[in-house]
């Protein structure tokens, strides 16, 4: 029975049944908003350059940070927040939920959350993205019981496989990008940073704007209110 449950598309099923409450892969009420998200940082060299490019293009983003990297560069984490972006939990040691024990995984997530909040001196709202996008039934239920909001993605840039700036821009331009999408990038790749100018242009040409995850998941009716 457990093996069968693990084969089910857990995150997809829950996101359809309870959209936005526990697992989010996008937003049906996104208006003209999308969310650019960056995993695995902060990176000492690439993240500052990325922040400059985001500022230049008036893009706001969400950084799903690794606790181990935060320990190495706490000031950089604070800089991300100071420049108007959101930070969220990507675990401490980038563990795969399918390859470690439940207790070890949950302790790793909680350790990262505490460290991030202590570093910035504020709550991050229990937003998290599981490393590798990997979940098991037990981990999913454990995260939900601890009031985490699991943020996945609807558009994968494939920047972990496409290492050329131009090809990465082409990949993004040819993607079926639409309002409400959550886009996956990684800020520890130099080619991702270099591609950001062209990516920003594509976003602008399609009449979209990039906001944080917290902003994307707020219904348009609430924004108007």
């Amino acid at each position: 029975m457990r093996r069968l449950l693990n084969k089910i598309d857990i995150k997809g099923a829950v996101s359809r049944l309870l959209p936005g409450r526990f697992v989010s892969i996008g937003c049906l009420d996104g208006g003209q908003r999308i969310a650019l998200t960056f995993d695995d940082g902060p990176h000492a060299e690439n993240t500052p350059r990325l922040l400059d490019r985001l500022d230049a293009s008036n893009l706001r983003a969400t950084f799903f940070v690794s606790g181990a990297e935060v320990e190495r560069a706490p000031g950089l984490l604070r800089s991300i927040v100071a420049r108007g972006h959101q930070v969220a939990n990507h675990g401490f040691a980038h563990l795969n939920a399918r390859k470690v024990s439940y207790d070890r995984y949950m302790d790793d997530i909680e350790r990262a959350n505490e460290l991030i909040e202590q570093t910035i001196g504020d709550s991050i709202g229990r937003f998290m993205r599981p490393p590798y996008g990997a979940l098991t039934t037990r981990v999913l239920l454990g995260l939900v019981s601890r009031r985490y909001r699991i943020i996945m993605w609807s558009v994968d840039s494939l920047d972990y496989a496409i290492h050329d700036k131009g090809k990465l821009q082409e990949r993004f331009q040819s993607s079926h990008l639409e309002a409400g999408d959550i886009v996956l990038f990684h800020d520890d790749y130099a080619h991702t940073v270099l591609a950001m100018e062209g990516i920003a242009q594509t976003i602008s040409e399609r009449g979209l704007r990039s906001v944080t995850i917290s902003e994307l998941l707020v219904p348009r009716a609430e924004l108007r209110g």
Side-chain angles (χ1 to χ4, degrees):
M1 181 66 175
R2 180 176 298 175
R3 183 177 300 176
L4 176 62
L5 285 172
N6 285 341
K7 289 184 178 180
I8 296 173
D9 179 8
I10 299 168
K11 57 182 178 289
V14 174
S15 65
R16 286 189 292 272
L17 291 171
L18 298 167
R21 288 192 60 191
F22 299 121
V23 180
S24 297
I25 58 175
C27 178
L28 296 177
D29 192 26
Q32 291 305 109
R33 299 168 291 160
I34 64 169
L36 301 183
T37 64
F38 298 89
D39 288 6
D40 295 349
H43 187 277
E45 294 182 5
N46 295 329
T47 303
R49 296 171 186 167
L50 175 61
L51 291 173
D52 289 342
R53 291 186 181 236
L54 293 174
D55 284 351
S57 300
N58 197 29
L59 300 175
R60 299 183 73 191
T62 300
F63 291 76
F64 288 90
V65 298
S66 160
E69 299 304 322
V70 169
E71 277 195 335
R72 296 186 183 98
L76 185 50
L77 183 75
R78 289 188 285 267
S79 178
I80 293 171
V81 175
R83 293 172 76 161
H85 305 287
Q86 182 176 354
V87 294
N89 187 344
H90 196 46
F92 187 90
H94 208 266
L95 301 179
N96 187 326
R98 300 186 183 123
K99 296 183 178 180
V100 298
S101 71
Y102 172 82
D103 289 339
R104 182 183 174 194
Y105 186 85
M106 297 305 294
D107 287 347
D108 183 85
I109 296 298
E110 293 285 11
R111 179 184 179 188
N113 222 72
E114 292 174 7
L115 174 64
I116 295 165
E117 292 187 338
Q118 289 172 1
T119 301
I120 66 173
D122 199 2
S123 169
I124 60 171
R126 308 295 278 183
F127 290 95
M128 68 85 63
R129 172 174 288 160
Y132 310 101
L135 290 169
T136 66
T137 306
R138 188 180 182 193
V139 164
L140 173 62
L141 295 176
L143 291 170
V144 169
S145 72
R146 300 184 192 203
R147 300 174 64 188
Y148 280 101
R149 295 188 71 176
I150 303 164
I151 309 299
M152 305 305 286
W153 57 88
S154 52
V155 175
D156 188 345
S157 70
L158 297 181
D159 62 348
Y160 52 86
I162 302 173
H163 299 157
D164 178 82
K165 161 193 162 182
K167 291 180 179 179
L168 187 58
Q169 289 173 333
E170 290 173 8
R171 157 76 182 177
F172 186 81
Q173 190 171 32
S174 64
S175 66
H176 186 60
L177 184 69
E178 58 187 7
D181 274 331
I182 298 173
V183 189
L184 171 65
F185 291 102
H186 299 80
D187 57 319
D188 55 343
Y189 295 142
H191 54 273
T192 298
V193 178
L194 294 173
M196 202 50 53
E197 184 176 352
I199 287 167
Q201 182 177 345
T202 297
I203 293 171
S204 177
E205 289 172 350
R206 299 191 187 184
L208 300 169
R209 62 190 181 94
S210 178
V211 299
T212 66
I213 285 294
S214 290
E215 292 169 323
L216 181 72
L217 298 183
V218 174
R220 283 179 292 171
E222 292 185 26
L223 289 175
R224 288 193 294 268

